[in-house]
Amino acid sequence: MRVAILLTHIRPEEKLLINAFEAHGITPDIILDRDFNFDLLGDATQFSPSGVAWGNYDLVLERCVSTSRGLYALAILNQWGVHTLNSYHTASVCADKIMTTLALACANVPQPRARVAFDEAHTLDAIEELTYPAVLKPATGSWGRLVARVNDRDSAEALLEHRQVLGDYNYHTYYVQEFVQKPSRDIRAFVVGDRTICAIYRTSPHWITNTARGGQATNCPITPELSDLCLAASRAVGGGILAMDVFETPEGGLVINEINHTMEFKNSSAPTGVNIADEVVAYALSTITESSIASLEGALA
Amino acid sequence: MNTTSCPVCEASVSIPADAMQNELIACADCGSELEIISLSPIQLDLAPDVEEDWGE
């Protein structure tokens, strides 16, 4: 069984995953995204930077911190029939907040109201249709980067002018989301395959609660409601190994805020008591068997 | 545990026994984020700067 991990560099999460694979008797090949050099007109017989033909991998686990490199690699490998986690479909939907919102809406998964507009005047209209405060986000991006709470028309006008003048075209797509009056925390739930394996509360006095921005992690019990919501969201975006950002609403409900396809989890195993890396690897290995059976059935059909 | 010098401030940097090539570590003195580009011999370089598309 041959496994490769695509990565930008080895963070604590990748180290945990490598060790988890080794605990299963598998030493994964480490492939750096800076070393990619794909012949786009070729196929899976071409060699990866590790010296192994891409098609000889039973599984390629994508863990690039660079979203663009990871997405392109998944697109190429999936077109060549290489089994990856996550799939390009899942990753591409999750990497784009507009596509995520559309997928969740299509599946009737609860989420905050959201609008998209493409110039300043119509974005102002969009914000005011959602009412102040609203949240302005780049369509792509992570770690709470450039996420802004828009409290009033003055701040909306200033933010939009800055984005229009200083940002490249990516920032001229204005994704606006309803501000959810959540308690001083949100929920990060981890979905691996068809299970919600654990969750944490991320508590912060700041309205942005990402642990990358200082949110403190504590265990969040998995209720049936939380699990059902997360599994529905996972199915909506194509499934795989995903981290769900969930808000508790003032009405007592739960809504999906965002979905992450290359999740960080180093701060989450300790408070939950769940070995997330081992869960991910066990699931990843189980998909190899499923993938092999599907290929065999396809060949026999 | 091996040590080498920080390529930024030249302070001594401890390399964990289970270190991996391309692992990120921090210099305790200057706080620079460093990448282990070689284990034998141990070589460190500044980690790549965070880019706009980096994330989860």
Side-chain angles (χ1 to χ4, degrees), chain A residues 9-10 15 32 34 65-68 142 145 171 188 261-262 264, chain B residues 18-24 35 48 50-56:
Chain A
H9 40 234
I10 296 179
K15 198 168 183 177
L32 301 177
R34 72 193 80 162
V65 73
S66 166
T67 303
S68 56
S142 194
R145 188 170 46 229
Y171 296 104
R188 160 63 63 97
H261 67 282
T262 49
E264 294 168 335
Chain B
D18 65 347
M20 296 178 178
Q21 188 169 328
N22 303 114
E23 183 175 345
L24 296 180
E35 181 175 352
V50 172
E51 296 198 37
E52 246 177 74
D53 73 329
W54 282 21
E56 295 186 79

Coordinates of all heavy atoms in Angstrom, one line a residue, chain A residues 9-10 15 32 34 65-68 142 145 171 188 261-262 264, chain B residues 18-24 35 48 50-56:
Chain A
H9 N 4.7 22.4 4.2 CA 5.8 22.1 5.2 C 5.2 21.3 6.3 O 3.9 21.2 6.4 CB 6.5 23.4 5.7 CG 5.6 24.5 6.0 ND1 5.8 25.8 5.4 CD2 4.5 24.6 6.7 CE1 4.8 26.5 5.8 NE2 4.0 25.9 6.6
I10 N 6.0 20.8 7.2 CA 5.4 19.9 8.2 C 5.1 20.7 9.5 O 6.0 21.2 10.2 CB 6.4 18.8 8.6 CG1 6.6 17.9 7.3 CG2 5.9 17.9 9.7 CD1 7.6 16.7 7.5
K15 N 2.8 16.2 11.3 CA 3.7 15.3 12.0 C 2.8 14.2 12.7 O 3.2 13.0 12.7 CB 4.5 16.1 13.1 CG 5.7 15.4 13.6 CD 6.6 16.3 14.4 CE 7.8 15.6 14.9 NZ 8.7 16.6 15.6
L32 N 6.4 17.8 -1.3 CA 6.3 19.2 -1.0 C 5.6 19.9 -2.2 O 6.0 19.6 -3.4 CB 7.6 19.9 -0.8 CG 8.4 19.3 0.4 CD1 9.8 20.0 0.5 CD2 7.7 19.5 1.7
R34 N 6.0 22.8 -3.2 CA 7.0 23.6 -4.0 C 7.7 22.8 -5.1 O 8.3 23.4 -6.0 CB 8.0 24.3 -3.0 CG 9.0 23.3 -2.4 CD 9.8 23.8 -1.3 NE 9.0 23.8 0.0 CZ 9.5 23.9 1.2 NH1 10.8 24.1 1.3 NH2 8.7 23.8 2.3
V65 N -0.9 23.8 3.0 CA -1.4 25.0 3.6 C -1.7 26.1 2.5 O -2.5 27.0 2.7 CB -0.4 25.6 4.7 CG1 0.8 26.2 4.1 CG2 -1.1 26.6 5.6
S66 N -1.1 25.9 1.4 CA -1.4 26.7 0.2 C -2.6 26.2 -0.5 O -2.6 25.1 -1.1 CB -0.2 26.7 -0.7 OG -0.6 27.2 -2.0
T67 N -3.7 26.9 -0.4 CA -5.0 26.4 -0.9 C -4.9 26.3 -2.4 O -5.4 25.3 -3.0 CB -6.1 27.4 -0.6 OG1 -6.1 27.6 0.9 CG2 -7.4 27.0 -1.1
S68 N -4.2 27.2 -3.1 CA -4.2 27.2 -4.6 C -3.4 25.9 -5.0 O -3.8 25.2 -5.9 CB -3.7 28.4 -5.2 OG -2.4 28.7 -4.6
S142 N -8.7 32.2 4.9 CA -8.8 31.4 6.1 C -8.3 32.2 7.3 O -7.8 33.3 7.2 CB -8.1 30.1 5.9 OG -8.4 29.2 6.9
R145 N -8.8 35.9 8.2 CA -8.1 37.0 7.5 C -9.1 37.9 6.8 O -9.9 37.4 6.0 CB -7.1 36.4 6.6 CG -6.1 37.3 6.0 CD -5.0 36.5 5.3 NE -5.5 35.4 4.5 CZ -5.0 34.2 4.6 NH1 -4.0 33.9 5.4 NH2 -5.5 33.3 3.8
Y171 N -10.8 40.6 -4.2 CA -11.4 41.3 -3.1 C -12.6 42.2 -3.6 O -13.2 42.9 -2.9 CB -10.4 42.1 -2.3 CG -9.4 41.2 -1.7 CD1 -8.2 41.0 -2.2 CD2 -9.8 40.5 -0.6 CE1 -7.3 40.1 -1.6 CE2 -9.0 39.6 0.0 CZ -7.7 39.4 -0.5 OH -6.9 38.5 0.1
R188 N -16.2 24.2 16.7 CA -15.5 23.6 15.6 C -15.7 22.1 15.8 O -15.3 21.5 16.8 CB -14.0 24.0 15.7 CG -13.0 23.1 15.0 CD -13.2 23.1 13.5 NE -13.0 24.4 12.9 CZ -11.8 24.7 12.3 NH1 -10.8 24.0 12.4 NH2 -11.7 25.9 11.7
H261 N -11.4 22.3 4.6 CA -11.1 21.0 4.0 C -9.7 20.6 4.3 O -9.3 19.4 3.9 CB -11.4 21.1 2.5 CG -10.4 22.0 1.7 ND1 -10.6 23.3 1.7 CD2 -9.3 21.7 1.0 CE1 -9.6 23.9 1.0 NE2 -8.8 22.9 0.5
T262 N -8.8 21.4 4.8 CA -7.5 20.9 5.3 C -7.3 21.4 6.7 O -6.5 22.3 7.0 CB -6.3 21.5 4.4 OG1 -6.5 22.9 4.3 CG2 -6.3 20.8 3.1
E264 N -6.9 22.2 10.7 CA -5.9 22.2 11.7 C -6.6 21.6 13.0 O -7.8 21.8 13.2 CB -5.4 23.6 12.0 CG -4.6 24.1 10.8 CD -4.3 25.6 10.9 OE1 -5.1 26.3 11.6 OE2 -3.4 26.1 10.2
Chain B
D18 N 12.9 13.8 17.5 CA 11.9 13.3 16.5 C 11.7 14.3 15.4 O 10.7 14.2 14.7 CB 10.6 12.9 17.2 CG 9.8 14.1 17.7 OD1 10.4 15.2 17.8 OD2 8.6 13.9 18.0
A19 N 12.6 15.2 15.2 CA 12.4 16.2 14.1 C 12.3 15.6 12.8 O 13.0 14.5 12.5 CB 13.5 17.2 14.2
M20 N 11.6 16.2 11.9 CA 11.5 15.7 10.5 C 11.9 16.8 9.5 O 11.8 18.0 9.8 CB 10.0 15.4 10.2 CG 9.4 14.3 11.0 SD 7.6 14.0 10.6 CE 7.3 12.6 11.7
Q21 N 12.4 16.3 8.4 CA 12.8 17.2 7.4 C 11.6 18.0 6.9 O 10.5 17.4 6.8 CB 13.4 16.5 6.2 CG 14.0 17.4 5.1 CD 14.8 16.7 4.1 OE1 15.5 15.7 4.4 NE2 14.8 17.2 2.9
N22 N 11.7 19.3 6.7 CA 10.7 20.2 6.3 C 9.7 20.6 7.5 O 8.7 21.2 7.2 CB 9.9 19.7 5.1 CG 10.8 19.5 3.9 OD1 11.0 18.4 3.4 ND2 11.4 20.6 3.4
E23 N 10.1 20.2 8.7 CA 9.3 20.6 9.8 C 9.5 22.0 10.2 O 10.7 22.5 10.0 CB 9.6 19.7 11.0 CG 8.8 20.0 12.2 CD 9.0 19.0 13.4 OE1 9.7 17.9 13.1 OE2 8.6 19.3 14.5
L24 N 8.5 22.7 10.7 CA 8.7 24.1 11.1 C 9.0 24.1 12.6 O 8.4 23.3 13.4 CB 7.4 24.9 10.9 CG 6.9 25.1 9.5 CD1 5.6 25.9 9.5 CD2 8.0 25.8 8.7
E35 N 12.5 26.5 9.0 CA 12.2 25.2 8.5 C 13.5 24.4 8.5 O 14.6 24.9 8.1 CB 11.7 25.4 7.0 CG 11.3 24.0 6.4 CD 10.7 24.2 5.0 OE1 10.4 25.4 4.6 OE2 10.6 23.2 4.3
P48 N 9.0 29.8 4.7 CA 8.4 30.7 3.7 C 7.5 31.7 4.4 O 6.8 31.3 5.3 CB 7.7 29.8 2.7 CG 8.3 28.4 3.0 CD 8.8 28.4 4.4
V50 N 4.1 33.7 5.0 CA 2.7 33.3 4.8 C 2.2 34.0 3.6 O 2.4 35.2 3.4 CB 1.9 33.7 6.1 CG1 0.4 33.5 5.8 CG2 2.3 33.0 7.3
E51 N 1.5 33.3 2.8 CA 0.9 33.9 1.6 C -0.6 34.0 1.7 O -1.2 33.4 2.6 CB 1.2 33.0 0.3 CG 2.7 33.0 0.1 CD 3.1 32.5 -1.3 OE1 2.4 32.8 -2.3 OE2 4.1 31.8 -1.4
E52 N -1.2 34.8 0.8 CA -2.6 35.2 0.9 C -3.5 34.0 0.9 O -4.6 34.0 1.4 CB -3.0 36.1 -0.2 CG -3.3 37.5 0.2 CD -3.6 38.4 -0.9 OE1 -4.7 38.3 -1.5 OE2 -2.8 39.3 -1.2
D53 N -3.1 32.9 0.2 CA -4.0 31.8 0.0 C -3.8 30.7 1.1 O -4.3 29.6 1.0 CB -3.9 31.2 -1.4 CG -2.6 30.4 -1.6 OD1 -1.6 30.8 -0.9 OD2 -2.7 29.5 -2.3
W54 N -2.9 31.0 2.1 CA -2.7 30.0 3.1 C -3.9 29.9 4.0 O -4.5 30.9 4.3 CB -1.4 30.3 3.9 CG -0.2 30.0 3.1 CD1 0.0 29.9 1.8 CD2 1.2 29.8 3.7 NE1 1.3 29.6 1.4 CE2 2.0 29.6 2.6 CE3 1.7 29.9 4.9 CZ2 3.4 29.3 2.8 CZ3 3.0 29.7 5.1 CH2 3.9 29.4 4.1
G55 N -4.1 28.7 4.5 CA -5.1 28.5 5.5 C -5.5 27.1 5.6 O -4.8 26.2 5.3
E56 N -6.8 26.9 6.1 CA -7.3 25.5 6.4 C -8.1 25.1 5.2 O -9.0 24.2 5.4 CB -8.2 25.5 7.6 CG -7.4 25.8 8.9 CD -8.3 25.7 10.1 OE1 -8.6 24.5 10.5 OE2 -8.8 26.7 10.6

